[in-house]
Amino acid sequence: QVQLVEYGGDLVQTGGSLRLSCTASGRSFETYTMGWFRQAPGKEREFVAAISWAASRTYYVDSVKGRFTISRDNAKNTVYLQMNNLQPEDTAVYYCALTRLLSVYIRESYEVWGQGTQVAVSS
């Protein structure tokens, strides 16, 4: 029932910033935990960040702590990923996804995925 669409990917230089957005259409967006994953060329899709439905708890992979911030605006059915001090290793297609499960770090826990948005960081 729920569909997700990501926006905001771009080409930036090392040290730059981007804000990704993911807007959901359909039912009960506010009841889901939302996550961001990324997939670099030749790599597995990996967890980046997640946020609970009431924004009371956030989760991050160690490599982005202190640089990325996840947030959500349930009135707009939108989750954001603010990415600062971007590095070349952040280059990937970024996907948003939703889950009703507690295992927010696990790719297989997520029920619905967006189409992805490309982030490229040049050195």
Side-chain angles (χ1 to χ4, degrees):
Q1 292 283 352
V2 178
Q3 298 182 11
L4 305 175
V5 179
E6 301 97 334
Y7 302 92
D10 206 349
L11 172 64
V12 298
Q13 293 186 334
T14 298
S17 297
L18 287 172
R19 188 169 84 155
L20 306 183
S21 300
C22 174
T23 298
S25 61
R27 306 178 189 271
S28 301
F29 167 80
E30 70 277 7
T31 68
Y32 292 99
T33 292
M34 300 296 299
W36 287 95
F37 286 73
R38 65 187 181 186
Q39 188 165 20
K43 303 290 186 179
E44 294 290 301
R45 191 172 299 186
E46 66 174 352
F47 172 82
V48 178
I51 185 167
S52 63
W53 72 271
S56 59
R57 191 169 183 177
T58 57
Y59 313 83
Y60 298 94
V61 68
D62 285 346
S63 61
V64 309
K65 288 180 179 177
R67 299 190 298 121
F68 291 10
T69 303
I70 189 170
S71 61
R72 68 192 296 164
D73 184 341
N74 289 341
K76 297 181 178 180
N77 290 332
T78 299
V79 62
Y80 305 95
L81 186 67
Q82 177 67 46
M83 305 186 295
N84 297 327
N85 192 23
L86 283 161
Q87 302 297 309
E89 55 265 35
D90 297 316
T91 294
V93 176
Y94 283 71
Y95 300 87
C96 67
L98 63 82
T99 182
R100 293 176 292 175
L101 303 177
L102 298 178
S103 302
V104 300
Y105 303 102
I106 300 176
R107 183 177 54 205
E108 290 77 13
S109 296
Y110 289 80
E111 302 174 34
V112 182
W113 295 82
Q115 84 290 343
T117 185
Q118 176 71 60
V119 172
V121 185
S122 65
S123 59

